[in-house]
Amino acid sequence: FDIQRNDWDADILKLLGIPRGMLPEVLDSAAEFGVTDRALFGAEVPILGVAGDQQAATLGQACFSPGMVKSTYGTGCFALLNTGSVRVHSKNRLLTTIAYRLNGKPTYALEGAIFVAGAAVQWLRDGLGVVERADQTARMADDADPEQDVYLVPAFTGLGAPHWDPNARGALFGLTRGTGPKELAKAALESVCYQTADLVDAMRADSAGIGEANMVLRVDGGMVANDWMMQRLTDILAAPVDRPMVLETTALGAAWLAGSKAGVWPDQDGFAKQWRLDRRFEPAMADNLRDAKLKAWRDAVRRTLTTN
């Protein structure tokens, strides 16, 4: 039973107790959905694009080719990898979703969700009073004692993909008497990088043979303004990280859908050419150090999990 089909099978609908015509017609992401009420804006404004938050960000990042991946860093973190016309059934506990549908052709994606990203920094600020402003964490992390390996597993509300353990709770590992605010700030930022690595590893395993073998991560959201975290992210992933000029890519993607349908913005190829890079971060960490850090992180996660 495929909800993307318009030619509903009467027997299946009857079995599910859904009267024919009860569900809305499935349209492209860029289509004529109707108009707004005149009372809202003084005129009927056409609604020409509809997309979910992360799907819109994927479009805003111009991730139109199979193998392209974007990751949005806000309170949580959400990564989508374009799998093209292939609907990949994940073997690594990722979600199979539709990225968008244009010209009647659906494009699929693998999605992973991290529950706590920027929320870890909010906890440092609002919960512990370790920082006054989120932007202080970059300098603090840079000044932290490099000899202290402190790992924060921010399972404040459980762990998301690829673990999916709602009962896991947060923990700090590696504390010493020398651990202070700087080391906690560094651990909070690194926790986002390690969680992203878990997602990317799962995506790489699920999408083998789809798109280019060398993955480049396009990032957006409020946290990516933190240069220290972006460098640590590329180091932990051992892959380039591209930060665009426009960080609010969800709004950009939604605007492109409507604009392209209205004929005032370019098509996919034209929009992709307009995507602009602010900065590419390249890995600089030694392989043995990266491997040791990831091993310690995964051991810390293992200790917090309540499921096997």
Side-chain angles (χ1 to χ4, degrees):
F1 182 59
D2 189 343
I3 64 171
Q4 291 306 303
R5 291 174 54 190
N6 286 323
D7 54 333
W8 304 84
D9 187 288
D11 291 334
I12 294 177
L13 290 174
K14 183 178 180 180
L15 179 64
L16 294 176
I18 302 174
R20 179 177 288 275
M22 178 180 177
L23 296 178
E25 180 184 0
V26 176
L27 300 178
D28 284 349
S29 301
E32 296 181 1
F33 291 91
V35 296
T36 63
D37 191 308
R38 182 181 297 272
L40 294 175
F41 305 109
E44 292 184 339
V45 179
I47 302 171
L48 301 178
V50 171
D53 189 359
Q54 302 311 316
Q55 284 78 4
T58 302
L59 292 166
Q61 287 278 34
C63 290
F64 296 128
S65 300
M68 295 186 73
V69 58
K70 74 89 197 172
S71 190
T72 300
Y73 295 92
T75 302
C77 167
F78 301 88
L80 264 74
L81 182 144
N82 185 323
T83 61
S85 61
V86 181
R87 185 167 50 185
V88 176
H89 296 282
S90 177
K91 297 180 181 179
N92 295 279
R93 309 187 78 183
L94 298 176
L95 306 177
T96 302
T97 187
I98 294 177
Y100 52 86
R101 195 182 87 168
L102 297 172
N103 301 317
K105 180 182 177 182
T107 294
Y108 296 96
L110 285 171
E111 180 176 8
I114 294 171
F115 295 160
V116 174
V121 176
Q122 291 175 345
W123 172 66
L124 292 180
R125 183 192 65 196
D126 303 333
L128 299 185
V130 169
V131 297
E132 294 181 357
R133 305 186 316 274
D135 59 8
Q136 293 175 312
T137 55
R139 174 62 64 86
M140 294 173 69
D142 195 44
D143 291 340
D145 183 356
E147 298 301 318
Q148 290 202 48
D149 293 319
V150 180
Y151 293 86
L152 167 65
V153 182
F156 304 144
T157 56
L159 286 172
H163 310 290
W164 299 119
D165 186 348
N167 297 314
R169 288 297 175 262
L172 275 164
F173 296 90
L175 295 176
T176 70
R177 289 189 62 183
T179 301
K182 295 177 181 178
E183 288 70 37
L184 292 180
K186 179 182 176 183
L189 296 180
E190 285 186 323
S191 73
V192 181
C193 304
Y194 293 133
Q195 290 178 97
T196 304
D198 290 344
L199 288 186
V200 169
D201 285 350
M203 286 180 168
R204 283 171 170 159
D206 278 337
S207 63
I210 296 177
E212 298 181 4
N214 298 320
M215 179 180 291
V216 177
L217 183 68
R218 290 188 171 183
V219 297
D220 54 82
M223 289 194 82
V224 305
N226 187 317
D227 286 353
W228 190 93
M229 195 190 91
M230 290 298 96
Q231 184 58 49
R232 185 51 51 101
L233 179 62
T234 190
D235 286 338
I236 295 300
L237 295 181
V241 170
D242 283 356
R243 183 173 65 194
M245 293 291 292
V246 178
L247 300 184
E248 297 300 330
T249 56
T250 295
L252 181 61
W256 174 74
L257 282 175
S260 62
K261 181 63 178 177
V264 298
W265 264 17
D267 59 10
Q268 284 178 263
D269 291 339
F271 182 70
K273 290 177 181 178
Q274 290 184 355
W275 185 90
R276 291 292 180 267
L277 177 70
D278 169 52
R279 179 176 173 183
R280 168 168 284 193
F281 295 84
E282 298 276 6
M285 183 178 288
D287 291 343
N288 61 336
L289 178 57
R290 176 188 305 110
D291 292 343
K293 286 181 172 294
L294 284 169
K295 182 179 179 181
W297 161 255
R298 286 162 184 160
D299 181 61
V301 170
R302 179 185 60 80
R303 293 168 184 266
T304 66
L305 290 174
T306 64
T307 59
N308 294 321

